[in-house]
Amino acid sequence: MPEGYRKTLIRQIAQHAHSEIIGMQPEGNWITRAPSLRRKCILVAKVQDEAGHGLYLYSAAETLGADRDELLDLLHTGRQRYSTIFNYPTTCWADVAAIGWLVDGAAIMNQVPLTRCSYGPYARAMTRVCKEESFHQRQGYESMTTLATGTPKQREMAQRALDRSWWPALAQSMAWGIKRFSNDELRQRFVDATVPQAHHLGLEVPDPTLHHDGQRWVSGDIDWTEFYAVMKGNGPCNRERIATRVRAHEEGAWVREAAAAYAAKQKARTGAVA
Amino acid sequence: MSSQFPLWEVFVRSKRGLAHNHVGSLRAPDAEMALRNARDVYTRRQEGVSIWVVPAASIMASSPDEKDSFFDPAGDKPYRHPTFYDVPEGLTHI
């Protein structure tokens, strides 16, 4: 395997893995405040999936010779990035619904082509991830539907959540190398798929220039200044996300040490293979 | 720390009668933890009825660099396949 290809792959897979585990936070913040037990069970399952996706991806990176602790260290020290979308806060329950519908929807657009990418372990991980993301998107849309067809106040919550999430979701298509379609094409597909879904909810897409040209939906220009500012660390939640991640890692250290000590003790007793 | 845990390869049998298939890998301090983690990582949607976890270090793999020479002995033996043989037209059940 050419060295440049290996390095690019490790970087892309690692940043993808980081995005999955950082992506647990915005929604994880709402688990204790989910509006019903049904929504809570669904949200727990979704956040658990994100952790699982992170694990598939870190494992795929390891098959290329990457060291998992080193990758986490790169994340914790800001030397590797994760998707900028997770640096926005979830200010109310409607944001959780909008994330499932729009952010996971955009992620599916980006990830489906990766199921046929050139590196097998990454492609296979993406196949599993895409199957699970489909549940994420649908539960989000269902939750948005409940709000959009509810009281006037719930409707307004849904509209505001769409207003907040639309542009960040649209900008989410990252400039990654190992894929088969251009970012513009992926974004166009996302717009074509999502605009009718918003209209079905009776919501307005926050883009005054949005129109249909007879074939496709034409959207306005993305504010890349904001996108790059958030990417460079100046989004609303960048510091909080990394601080939470580092704290979880440090506070979990004793668990990992205890598990290792227990395994060593058992091994010494039984001479078992491990 | 997690990188110091041994690496385990995970095999899942999706239903009775089928073979275990490789689904991925994970790190865990011992076999029991590997099994439990494999359940949580790879069978959250009833994907399996049985899981094997195998220490990755115990797997002996053929070398990709020697692929050609390693599999060469089968290369010139097409007569091992039924399609090698002519079957007279009109005959069935052969």
Side-chain angles (χ1 to χ4, degrees), chain A residues 6 21 31 43 56 71 78 95 98 127 149 174 189 209-210 218 254-255 261 266 273:
Chain A
R6 195 180 72 88
I21 63 168
I31 288 174
L43 190 59
Y56 308 152
L71 296 179
D95 284 339
T127 303
T149 57
M174 294 203 281
R189 287 180 184 205
T209 70
L210 184 75
V218 182
W254 73 269
V255 178
Q266 292 299 110
V273 186

PDB file of all heavy atoms in Angstrom, chain A residues 6 21 31 43 56 71 78 95 98 127 149 174 189 209-210 218 254-255 261 266 273:
ATOM      1  N   ARG A   6      -2.035   5.444   2.621  1.00  0.00           N
ATOM      2  CA  ARG A   6      -2.228   4.938   3.985  1.00  0.00           C
ATOM      3  C   ARG A   6      -2.430   6.091   4.960  1.00  0.00           C
ATOM      4  O   ARG A   6      -3.349   6.087   5.780  1.00  0.00           O
ATOM      5  CB  ARG A   6      -1.013   4.100   4.404  1.00  0.00           C
ATOM      6  CG  ARG A   6      -1.246   3.232   5.639  1.00  0.00           C
ATOM      7  CD  ARG A   6       0.009   2.441   5.982  1.00  0.00           C
ATOM      8  NE  ARG A   6       1.046   3.310   6.526  1.00  0.00           N
ATOM      9  CZ  ARG A   6       1.163   3.610   7.818  1.00  0.00           C
ATOM     10  NH1 ARG A   6       0.319   3.118   8.688  1.00  0.00           N
ATOM     11  NH2 ARG A   6       2.107   4.427   8.234  1.00  0.00           N
ATOM     12  N   ILE A  21     -17.724  10.022  18.045  1.00  0.00           N
ATOM     13  CA  ILE A  21     -17.771  10.036  19.521  1.00  0.00           C
ATOM     14  C   ILE A  21     -18.019  11.444  20.069  1.00  0.00           C
ATOM     15  O   ILE A  21     -18.660  11.586  21.096  1.00  0.00           O
ATOM     16  CB  ILE A  21     -16.531   9.358  20.174  1.00  0.00           C
ATOM     17  CG1 ILE A  21     -15.233  10.086  19.850  1.00  0.00           C
ATOM     18  CG2 ILE A  21     -16.452   7.890  19.770  1.00  0.00           C
ATOM     19  CD1 ILE A  21     -14.080   9.595  20.729  1.00  0.00           C
ATOM     20  N   ILE A  31     -30.656  13.415  26.966  1.00  0.00           N
ATOM     21  CA  ILE A  31     -31.196  12.104  27.366  1.00  0.00           C
ATOM     22  C   ILE A  31     -32.055  12.226  28.631  1.00  0.00           C
ATOM     23  O   ILE A  31     -33.161  11.698  28.693  1.00  0.00           O
ATOM     24  CB  ILE A  31     -30.058  11.071  27.556  1.00  0.00           C
ATOM     25  CG1 ILE A  31     -29.485  10.678  26.182  1.00  0.00           C
ATOM     26  CG2 ILE A  31     -30.573   9.828  28.288  1.00  0.00           C
ATOM     27  CD1 ILE A  31     -28.261   9.785  26.237  1.00  0.00           C
ATOM     28  N   LEU A  43     -33.428   7.787  21.919  1.00  0.00           N
ATOM     29  CA  LEU A  43     -32.237   8.640  21.965  1.00  0.00           C
ATOM     30  C   LEU A  43     -31.045   7.890  22.554  1.00  0.00           C
ATOM     31  O   LEU A  43     -29.919   8.005  22.055  1.00  0.00           O
ATOM     32  CB  LEU A  43     -32.536   9.917  22.768  1.00  0.00           C
ATOM     33  CG  LEU A  43     -31.471  11.001  22.706  1.00  0.00           C
ATOM     34  CD1 LEU A  43     -31.215  11.458  21.273  1.00  0.00           C
ATOM     35  CD2 LEU A  43     -31.867  12.207  23.570  1.00  0.00           C
ATOM     36  N   TYR A  56     -16.130   0.997  15.396  1.00  0.00           N
ATOM     37  CA  TYR A  56     -15.848   0.351  14.101  1.00  0.00           C
ATOM     38  C   TYR A  56     -14.717   1.099  13.401  1.00  0.00           C
ATOM     39  O   TYR A  56     -13.828   0.508  12.787  1.00  0.00           O
ATOM     40  CB  TYR A  56     -17.031   0.407  13.119  1.00  0.00           C
ATOM     41  CG  TYR A  56     -18.390  -0.068  13.588  1.00  0.00           C
ATOM     42  CD1 TYR A  56     -19.548   0.463  13.014  1.00  0.00           C
ATOM     43  CD2 TYR A  56     -18.525  -1.045  14.558  1.00  0.00           C
ATOM     44  CE1 TYR A  56     -20.808   0.048  13.412  1.00  0.00           C
ATOM     45  CE2 TYR A  56     -19.792  -1.457  14.964  1.00  0.00           C
ATOM     46  CZ  TYR A  56     -20.928  -0.906  14.395  1.00  0.00           C
ATOM     47  OH  TYR A  56     -22.170  -1.295  14.767  1.00  0.00           O
ATOM     48  N   LEU A  71      -4.378   8.271  18.410  1.00  0.00           N
ATOM     49  CA  LEU A  71      -5.451   8.981  17.704  1.00  0.00           C
ATOM     50  C   LEU A  71      -6.287   9.796  18.693  1.00  0.00           C
ATOM     51  O   LEU A  71      -6.638  10.953  18.435  1.00  0.00           O
ATOM     52  CB  LEU A  71      -6.350   8.002  16.943  1.00  0.00           C
ATOM     53  CG  LEU A  71      -5.689   7.213  15.801  1.00  0.00           C
ATOM     54  CD1 LEU A  71      -6.707   6.270  15.151  1.00  0.00           C
ATOM     55  CD2 LEU A  71      -5.102   8.142  14.749  1.00  0.00           C
ATOM     56  N   GLY A  78      -6.304  18.697  20.014  1.00  0.00           N
ATOM     57  CA  GLY A  78      -6.701  19.574  18.912  1.00  0.00           C
ATOM     58  C   GLY A  78      -5.863  19.448  17.662  1.00  0.00           C
ATOM     59  O   GLY A  78      -5.931  20.299  16.779  1.00  0.00           O
ATOM     60  N   ASP A  95     -33.999  20.884  18.582  1.00  0.00           N
ATOM     61  CA  ASP A  95     -32.675  20.762  17.970  1.00  0.00           C
ATOM     62  C   ASP A  95     -32.242  19.296  17.877  1.00  0.00           C
ATOM     63  O   ASP A  95     -31.561  18.898  16.933  1.00  0.00           O
ATOM     64  CB  ASP A  95     -31.631  21.553  18.778  1.00  0.00           C
ATOM     65  CG  ASP A  95     -31.744  23.055  18.523  1.00  0.00           C
ATOM     66  OD1 ASP A  95     -32.305  23.454  17.483  1.00  0.00           O
ATOM     67  OD2 ASP A  95     -31.258  23.835  19.379  1.00  0.00           O
ATOM     68  N   ALA A  98     -33.998  17.947  14.931  1.00  0.00           N
ATOM     69  CA  ALA A  98     -33.414  18.476  13.694  1.00  0.00           C
ATOM     70  C   ALA A  98     -32.067  17.828  13.394  1.00  0.00           C
ATOM     71  O   ALA A  98     -31.731  17.578  12.228  1.00  0.00           O
ATOM     72  CB  ALA A  98     -33.273  19.994  13.792  1.00  0.00           C
ATOM     73  N   THR A 127     -20.818   0.384   5.655  1.00  0.00           N
ATOM     74  CA  THR A 127     -22.056  -0.345   5.360  1.00  0.00           C
ATOM     75  C   THR A 127     -22.890  -0.480   6.637  1.00  0.00           C
ATOM     76  O   THR A 127     -24.089  -0.211   6.652  1.00  0.00           O
ATOM     77  CB  THR A 127     -21.725  -1.733   4.789  1.00  0.00           C
ATOM     78  OG1 THR A 127     -20.919  -1.545   3.626  1.00  0.00           O
ATOM     79  CG2 THR A 127     -22.981  -2.497   4.410  1.00  0.00           C
ATOM     80  N   THR A 149     -46.614  19.297  13.758  1.00  0.00           N
ATOM     81  CA  THR A 149     -48.075  19.135  13.698  1.00  0.00           C
ATOM     82  C   THR A 149     -48.705  19.343  15.083  1.00  0.00           C
ATOM     83  O   THR A 149     -49.851  18.989  15.301  1.00  0.00           O
ATOM     84  CB  THR A 149     -48.458  17.729  13.168  1.00  0.00           C
ATOM     85  OG1 THR A 149     -47.832  16.758  14.023  1.00  0.00           O
ATOM     86  CG2 THR A 149     -47.992  17.527  11.745  1.00  0.00           C
ATOM     87  N   MET A 174     -17.698  17.504   4.045  1.00  0.00           N
ATOM     88  CA  MET A 174     -16.318  17.929   4.253  1.00  0.00           C
ATOM     89  C   MET A 174     -15.440  17.603   3.059  1.00  0.00           C
ATOM     90  O   MET A 174     -15.748  16.726   2.267  1.00  0.00           O
ATOM     91  CB  MET A 174     -15.780  17.274   5.514  1.00  0.00           C
ATOM     92  CG  MET A 174     -16.502  17.770   6.744  1.00  0.00           C
ATOM     93  SD  MET A 174     -15.531  17.577   8.219  1.00  0.00           S
ATOM     94  CE  MET A 174     -15.762  15.874   8.565  1.00  0.00           C
ATOM     95  N   ARG A 189     -27.528  16.707  -3.786  1.00  0.00           N
ATOM     96  CA  ARG A 189     -28.388  15.559  -3.493  1.00  0.00           C
ATOM     97  C   ARG A 189     -29.100  15.746  -2.162  1.00  0.00           C
ATOM     98  O   ARG A 189     -30.272  15.396  -2.015  1.00  0.00           O
ATOM     99  CB  ARG A 189     -27.552  14.271  -3.410  1.00  0.00           C
ATOM    100  CG  ARG A 189     -27.073  13.802  -4.749  1.00  0.00           C
ATOM    101  CD  ARG A 189     -26.261  12.538  -4.583  1.00  0.00           C
ATOM    102  NE  ARG A 189     -25.713  12.133  -5.865  1.00  0.00           N
ATOM    103  CZ  ARG A 189     -25.385  10.889  -6.174  1.00  0.00           C
ATOM    104  NH1 ARG A 189     -25.556   9.932  -5.292  1.00  0.00           N
ATOM    105  NH2 ARG A 189     -24.902  10.605  -7.357  1.00  0.00           N
ATOM    106  N   THR A 209     -33.332  32.567  -1.307  1.00  0.00           N
ATOM    107  CA  THR A 209     -33.065  32.410  -2.746  1.00  0.00           C
ATOM    108  C   THR A 209     -33.417  31.013  -3.249  1.00  0.00           C
ATOM    109  O   THR A 209     -33.310  30.738  -4.443  1.00  0.00           O
ATOM    110  CB  THR A 209     -31.578  32.680  -3.065  1.00  0.00           C
ATOM    111  OG1 THR A 209     -30.800  31.593  -2.525  1.00  0.00           O
ATOM    112  CG2 THR A 209     -31.106  33.992  -2.472  1.00  0.00           C
ATOM    113  N   LEU A 210     -33.806  30.126  -2.344  1.00  0.00           N
ATOM    114  CA  LEU A 210     -34.084  28.742  -2.737  1.00  0.00           C
ATOM    115  C   LEU A 210     -35.226  28.676  -3.754  1.00  0.00           C
ATOM    116  O   LEU A 210     -36.288  29.240  -3.540  1.00  0.00           O
ATOM    117  CB  LEU A 210     -34.463  27.932  -1.488  1.00  0.00           C
ATOM    118  CG  LEU A 210     -34.699  26.430  -1.701  1.00  0.00           C
ATOM    119  CD1 LEU A 210     -33.376  25.698  -1.888  1.00  0.00           C
ATOM    120  CD2 LEU A 210     -35.471  25.840  -0.525  1.00  0.00           C
ATOM    121  N   VAL A 218     -32.325  24.789  -6.288  1.00  0.00           N
ATOM    122  CA  VAL A 218     -31.126  25.628  -6.321  1.00  0.00           C
ATOM    123  C   VAL A 218     -31.077  26.428  -5.015  1.00  0.00           C
ATOM    124  O   VAL A 218     -31.992  27.207  -4.739  1.00  0.00           O
ATOM    125  CB  VAL A 218     -31.154  26.590  -7.524  1.00  0.00           C
ATOM    126  CG1 VAL A 218     -29.873  27.420  -7.567  1.00  0.00           C
ATOM    127  CG2 VAL A 218     -31.344  25.810  -8.817  1.00  0.00           C
ATOM    128  N   TRP A 254      -9.397   4.851  35.597  1.00  0.00           N
ATOM    129  CA  TRP A 254      -9.330   3.824  36.651  1.00  0.00           C
ATOM    130  C   TRP A 254     -10.070   2.549  36.242  1.00  0.00           C
ATOM    131  O   TRP A 254      -9.674   1.456  36.637  1.00  0.00           O
ATOM    132  CB  TRP A 254      -9.857   4.384  37.977  1.00  0.00           C
ATOM    133  CG  TRP A 254     -11.356   4.562  38.031  1.00  0.00           C
ATOM    134  CD1 TRP A 254     -12.063   5.673  37.689  1.00  0.00           C
ATOM    135  CD2 TRP A 254     -12.322   3.580  38.446  1.00  0.00           C
ATOM    136  NE1 TRP A 254     -13.404   5.460  37.868  1.00  0.00           N
ATOM    137  CE2 TRP A 254     -13.593   4.173  38.332  1.00  0.00           C
ATOM    138  CE3 TRP A 254     -12.230   2.256  38.900  1.00  0.00           C
ATOM    139  CZ2 TRP A 254     -14.765   3.498  38.655  1.00  0.00           C
ATOM    140  CZ3 TRP A 254     -13.407   1.582  39.218  1.00  0.00           C
ATOM    141  CH2 TRP A 254     -14.658   2.213  39.094  1.00  0.00           C
ATOM    142  N   VAL A 255     -11.120   2.694  35.419  1.00  0.00           N
ATOM    143  CA  VAL A 255     -11.867   1.520  34.968  1.00  0.00           C
ATOM    144  C   VAL A 255     -10.980   0.672  34.063  1.00  0.00           C
ATOM    145  O   VAL A 255     -10.894  -0.551  34.197  1.00  0.00           O
ATOM    146  CB  VAL A 255     -13.155   1.928  34.221  1.00  0.00           C
ATOM    147  CG1 VAL A 255     -13.904   0.696  33.722  1.00  0.00           C
ATOM    148  CG2 VAL A 255     -14.035   2.776  35.113  1.00  0.00           C
ATOM    149  N   ALA A 261      -5.789  -4.853  35.347  1.00  0.00           N
ATOM    150  CA  ALA A 261      -5.234  -5.522  36.538  1.00  0.00           C
ATOM    151  C   ALA A 261      -5.951  -6.845  36.777  1.00  0.00           C
ATOM    152  O   ALA A 261      -5.319  -7.868  37.082  1.00  0.00           O
ATOM    153  CB  ALA A 261      -5.371  -4.612  37.756  1.00  0.00           C
ATOM    154  N   GLN A 266      -6.097 -12.795  36.616  1.00  0.00           N
ATOM    155  CA  GLN A 266      -6.726 -14.037  36.153  1.00  0.00           C
ATOM    156  C   GLN A 266      -5.744 -14.857  35.314  1.00  0.00           C
ATOM    157  O   GLN A 266      -5.679 -16.073  35.429  1.00  0.00           O
ATOM    158  CB  GLN A 266      -7.976 -13.734  35.307  1.00  0.00           C
ATOM    159  CG  GLN A 266      -9.126 -13.142  36.076  1.00  0.00           C
ATOM    160  CD  GLN A 266      -9.628 -14.071  37.178  1.00  0.00           C
ATOM    161  OE1 GLN A 266      -9.442 -13.805  38.357  1.00  0.00           O
ATOM    162  NE2 GLN A 266     -10.235 -15.190  36.787  1.00  0.00           N
ATOM    163  N   VAL A 273      -4.866 -17.974  27.860  1.00  0.00           N
ATOM    164  CA  VAL A 273      -4.431 -17.129  26.748  1.00  0.00           C
ATOM    165  C   VAL A 273      -5.223 -15.825  26.772  1.00  0.00           C
ATOM    166  O   VAL A 273      -6.417 -15.843  27.010  1.00  0.00           O
ATOM    167  CB  VAL A 273      -4.701 -17.842  25.401  1.00  0.00           C
ATOM    168  CG1 VAL A 273      -4.123 -17.031  24.249  1.00  0.00           C
ATOM    169  CG2 VAL A 273      -4.115 -19.243  25.432  1.00  0.00           C
TER     170      VAL A 273
END
